[in-house]
Amino acid sequence: MDISQYLEIFIEESKEHLQSLNESLLELEKNTENVELINEVFRVAHTLKGMAATMGYKRMQKLTHDMENVLSEIRNGNIAVTAELLDILFQCLDALEQYVESIIESGSEGDKDNHKIINKLNAILEGGQDNTTVTAEVAATAEAIAIEPVQDSLPSQVEAAVSDADKRQHLQMSFTDFEKNAIQKAYLENFKVYGITIFISEGCVLKSARAFIVFRTLEKLGQVIKSHPAVQDIEDEKFDDRFTTFIVTKENMEKITSELRSVAEVTDVLTDEIIIPIEPVEAAKEDNQQKSTRKKKTGTKDSNAKATGIKPKTNRTVRVDIERLDTLMNLVSELIIIKNGLETIELKNASQNFNEQIEYLERITTNLHDAVMKVRMVPIERVFNRFPRLIRDLSRQLNKNIELHMSGEETELDRTVIDEIGDPLVHLLRNAGDHGLETPDVRVQSGKDPVGNIHLRAYQDGNNVIIEVNDDGKGIDVLHIKNKAIKNGTISEDQADSMTDQEIIQLLFRPSFSTAEKISDVSGRGVGLDVVKTKIEALGGDIEVKTEINKGSKFIIRLPLTLAIIQALMVNLGDEKYAIPLNTIQNIEDVEVAHIKYIQNQEVINLRGHVIPIVRLHEKLDIEEIDPDRQSLTVVIVNKGEKQAGIVVDSLIGQQEIVIKTLGKYLSNIKLIAGATILGDGEVALILDINTLV
Amino acid sequence: MEEMNQAIKKFIVASIGHEQYGVNIQYVQNIERMLSITRVPKAPYYIKGVINLRGDIIPVMSLRLKFGLEADEYTHNTRIIIVKLDGNPMGIIVDEVKEVINLTDDAIEKISKDANDEKGIYVQGVGKIDQELVTLLNLDGLINTND
């Protein structure tokens, strides 16, 4: 069956499901008892499984299937939702996202099996069942491997044995087929396999360094075949006070144990010889062989598919509001009508009809242009919705309690901007979490709530979209940056003295400038901020920082609506036309010149109790007024936040939907003008930047 | 090195008043007949405004104003040369576009940069072709310098 035609639907729907999975999991983390949420997560996993199966994505199917098993146990109340479980579910989500990414890029789900995650899921399942049912059941399941421990010392007391066995984490591990094969081979060559759980003292400062030494020691003695957590995670210090490894060696158990115990800050080492009974291994081997032949078969099939060119490859897709598509469709049909009309015009008395048709055509194409542009607009929600997860991971990673508050997800931006803005925002959020926010104890000391807050806001401000990343942390220490910059030789001391605080903060955006004493794996404030700035400037925007010691910092990104469409009021000033964004306009008033008063030499009017300053646009824009002596002025009342102003114009043209274009780099410093738009007749009209006028 | 020196550069020759100016063709996007220009308030004096070039808004500058000559007078020969520097387009108004010339490096007289001469940064060198002399414009200095 040719499934490629369903691929795009599959991708879009998968993305949606993964998003809802993400949201449910985050919610579940806050409220682990909520059955509704568990049902929702289960439903998503189930749907994804069905979808993946239909499309022939076996690995994705397997993963969701195992997820489903675990989730169903949770639903039945056999397993409780724990932090570890959620971690694994989040890992599942990541893995699924990777599959979908890979499918988007190449049409195939890739060859990652995600054994680790599946094993973890199964381990949970086995653990859960262990508590309720007899072990025989476990033995009965084909996948289960019995590990028979040969203990290095016989415990004298039963209680001791229980707690000891509990500590021997390596006994609870399961092996993948590959690992089983390796162990099997080791046996044949008279090697022994030991499972070791190593405990590191709680006060240890550099756990990863200790772990590194432990691994070095182990590597001298034999070969490490498996560790839990994975070596990478251990190096990243992603473990508590213990970790487990499996080693293939010819040395005896005592030697290994004593060598490891001699490593500083290792409090305890528990070692067991691991013996995997021959039969299940054999069975597994056979199974493996079968699998591999099967794999080969499917492999050839795949290559056949490639050869015949069936292999589907997708482009990036956009989901479009059906109403917008309808508009587009209607416009295209009108276009066809005009085309037909033009074809049937008789040349003899053409001019009348011809002109009519051309005018019609003009109108339609302008609308068509607008409609296509609108299709490109997507709510920024698309970018924002991955951030709750990011913050969750970040707060765990940093051991800080961070709460993310988002608003303005519905703000629309051009598709191209949406695609690009994600990375800079991730960087700023990480920055805020890592460097902006203090650790809970420091926060408490400085009289703050231990929970740190990061606000992410998006809103449209005139012809810009503003995105703010705001933390309530310690703020940026200007003095610190200054000293660092002098030390680095970025600036001289003389220069430093003459620089304003804002200028010094701007140093953060210099390439490879970091103030962090210790560069963490999350980020260093400054490291990469130059990249953020470059990216945003490439999008035609700019970034600004506001900071206050002990109150927090705020990064403000201002993006122009490069391809955006807004409603605007077109006005005449002299013989020029200008556009005023409709969302800044409050109302339009006719004001008698006689009613204008002066306050500190500034013209104001008293409008229903509000004193509003008058802005003479003619003067601001160097335009000659058509009728300087007129007694009644047309005043457009605009507002910027709380502030209001009355703008004097010559006359109104009317409301119009306009496509915003920038004036380009060379004219970017003209403050009064926010951009330009092309009118129906091809003329350019400038868009007033109300922010700078008020 | 010999070959490098002999590399041929193409320039578009445009006239302003009695003088001839050369614009390196690698920066030239297209050459347009005069278009309607929308004035941009508060723009530098030599920026005439912006034009709509098939949907793109492009600023247009007057070389005459930049060089301190009398204001442009648009005729049917007036052209706007659209150049692009670092991805940013700019239109340059000239009286007339004449031809495209090939210049080897030998035929280009470098101008010694005199810091006191403001106009020096607008000029890259002088091209010699037959008996004619063509002032080769340094677009970067011309466009990116505000005065």
Side-chain angles (χ1 to χ4, degrees), chain A residues 465-491:
Chain A
V465 165
I466 314 280
I467 306 173
E468 293 176 354
V469 179
N470 190 2
D471 65 64
D472 63 351
K474 56 178 178 269
I476 299 170
D477 186 350
V478 174
L479 203 66
H480 183 65
I481 302 175
K482 202 192 251 180
N483 292 337
K484 187 90 184 181
I486 294 170
K487 222 171 93 188
N488 285 352
T490 316
I491 51 169

Coordinates of all heavy atoms in Angstrom, one line a residue, chain A residues 465-491:
Chain A
V465 N 6.1 43.1 16.9 CA 5.7 42.1 17.9 C 6.8 42.1 19.0 O 8.0 42.1 18.6 CB 5.5 40.7 17.3 CG1 5.5 39.7 18.4 CG2 4.3 40.7 16.5
I466 N 6.4 42.3 20.2 CA 7.3 42.3 21.3 C 7.3 41.0 22.0 O 6.2 40.5 22.3 CB 7.0 43.4 22.3 CG1 6.7 44.7 21.6 CG2 8.1 43.6 23.3 CD1 7.8 45.5 21.1
I467 N 8.4 40.4 22.2 CA 8.5 39.2 23.1 C 9.4 39.6 24.2 O 10.5 40.0 24.0 CB 9.1 38.0 22.3 CG1 8.2 37.8 21.0 CG2 9.0 36.8 23.2 CD1 8.8 36.7 20.1
E468 N 8.9 39.4 25.4 CA 9.7 39.7 26.6 C 10.0 38.4 27.4 O 9.1 37.6 27.6 CB 8.9 40.6 27.5 CG 8.7 42.0 27.0 CD 7.9 42.8 27.9 OE1 7.4 42.3 28.9 OE2 7.7 44.0 27.6
V469 N 11.3 38.3 27.8 CA 11.6 37.2 28.7 C 12.1 37.9 30.0 O 13.1 38.7 30.0 CB 12.8 36.4 28.2 CG1 13.2 35.3 29.2 CG2 12.4 35.7 26.9
N470 N 11.4 37.7 31.1 CA 11.5 38.5 32.3 C 11.7 37.5 33.5 O 10.9 36.7 33.7 CB 10.3 39.3 32.4 CG 10.4 40.3 33.5 OD1 11.4 40.5 34.1 ND2 9.3 41.1 33.7
D471 N 12.8 37.7 34.2 CA 13.0 36.9 35.4 C 13.0 37.8 36.6 O 13.3 39.0 36.5 CB 14.2 36.0 35.3 CG 15.5 36.8 35.3 OD1 15.8 37.5 36.3 OD2 16.2 36.8 34.3
D472 N 12.6 37.2 37.8 CA 12.7 38.0 39.0 C 13.9 37.6 39.8 O 13.8 37.5 41.0 CB 11.4 37.9 39.8 CG 11.1 36.5 40.3 OD1 11.8 35.6 39.8 OD2 10.1 36.3 41.0
G473 N 15.0 37.4 39.2 CA 16.2 37.0 39.8 C 17.0 38.1 40.3 O 16.6 39.2 40.7
K474 N 18.4 37.9 40.3 CA 19.3 38.8 40.9 C 19.6 40.0 40.1 O 20.2 40.9 40.5 CB 20.5 38.1 41.4 CG 21.3 37.3 40.3 CD 22.5 36.7 40.8 CE 23.3 35.9 39.8 NZ 22.9 34.5 39.7
G475 N 19.3 40.0 38.8 CA 19.6 41.1 37.9 C 21.0 41.0 37.5 O 21.8 40.1 37.9
I476 N 21.4 41.9 36.6 CA 22.8 41.8 36.0 C 23.6 42.8 36.7 O 23.3 44.0 36.9 CB 22.7 42.2 34.5 CG1 21.9 41.1 33.8 CG2 24.2 42.2 33.9 CD1 21.6 41.5 32.3
D477 N 24.8 42.4 37.2 CA 25.7 43.2 38.0 C 26.6 44.0 37.0 O 27.5 43.4 36.4 CB 26.5 42.3 38.9 CG 27.4 43.2 39.9 OD1 27.4 44.4 39.6 OD2 27.9 42.6 40.8
V478 N 26.3 45.2 36.8 CA 27.0 46.0 35.8 C 28.5 46.1 36.2 O 29.3 46.0 35.3 CB 26.4 47.5 35.7 CG1 27.2 48.3 34.8 CG2 24.9 47.4 35.2
L479 N 28.7 46.3 37.5 CA 30.1 46.4 37.9 C 30.9 45.2 37.5 O 32.1 45.3 37.1 CB 30.1 46.7 39.4 CG 31.4 47.4 39.9 CD1 31.5 48.8 39.4 CD2 31.4 47.3 41.5
H480 N 30.3 44.1 37.7 CA 30.9 42.8 37.5 C 31.2 42.7 36.0 O 32.4 42.3 35.6 CB 29.9 41.7 37.9 CG 30.5 40.3 37.7 ND1 31.5 39.9 38.5 CD2 30.1 39.3 36.9 CE1 31.8 38.6 38.1 NE2 31.0 38.3 37.2
I481 N 30.3 43.1 35.1 CA 30.6 43.0 33.7 C 31.7 43.9 33.3 O 32.6 43.6 32.6 CB 29.3 43.5 32.9 CG1 28.1 42.6 33.2 CG2 29.6 43.4 31.4 CD1 26.9 43.0 32.6
K482 N 31.7 45.1 34.0 CA 32.7 46.1 33.7 C 34.1 45.6 34.0 O 35.0 45.6 33.2 CB 32.4 47.4 34.5 CG 33.1 48.6 34.0 CD 33.0 49.7 35.0 CE 32.0 50.8 34.7 NZ 31.9 51.9 35.7
N483 N 34.2 45.0 35.2 CA 35.5 44.5 35.6 C 36.0 43.3 34.7 O 37.1 43.3 34.3 CB 35.4 43.9 37.1 CG 35.2 45.1 38.0 OD1 35.6 46.2 37.7 ND2 34.7 44.8 39.2
K484 N 35.0 42.5 34.4 CA 35.3 41.4 33.5 C 35.8 41.9 32.2 O 36.8 41.3 31.6 CB 34.1 40.5 33.4 CG 34.3 39.2 32.7 CD 34.6 38.1 33.6 CE 35.0 36.9 32.9 NZ 35.3 35.8 33.8
A485 N 35.1 42.9 31.7 CA 35.4 43.4 30.3 C 36.8 44.0 30.3 O 37.6 43.9 29.4 CB 34.4 44.4 29.9
I486 N 37.2 44.7 31.4 CA 38.5 45.3 31.5 C 39.5 44.2 31.6 O 40.6 44.2 31.0 CB 38.6 46.2 32.8 CG1 37.6 47.4 32.6 CG2 40.0 46.7 33.0 CD1 37.4 48.3 33.8
K487 N 39.2 43.2 32.4 CA 40.1 42.1 32.6 C 40.4 41.3 31.3 O 41.5 41.0 30.9 CB 39.6 41.1 33.6 CG 40.7 40.6 34.6 CD 40.0 39.8 35.7 CE 40.0 38.3 35.4 NZ 39.2 37.5 36.4
N488 N 39.3 41.2 30.5 CA 39.4 40.5 29.2 C 40.1 41.3 28.2 O 40.5 40.8 27.1 CB 38.0 40.2 28.6 CG 37.4 39.1 29.4 OD1 38.0 38.4 30.2 ND2 36.1 38.9 29.1
G489 N 40.2 42.6 28.5 CA 40.8 43.5 27.4 C 39.8 43.9 26.4 O 40.1 44.5 25.4
T490 N 38.5 43.7 26.7 CA 37.5 44.1 25.7 C 37.4 45.6 25.7 O 37.2 46.2 24.6 CB 36.1 43.5 26.1 OG1 36.2 42.2 26.5 CG2 35.1 43.6 25.0
I491 N 37.5 46.2 26.8 CA 37.5 47.7 26.9 C 38.6 48.1 27.8 O 39.1 47.4 28.7 CB 36.1 48.2 27.4 CG1 35.7 47.6 28.7 CG2 35.1 48.1 26.4 CD1 34.6 48.2 29.4

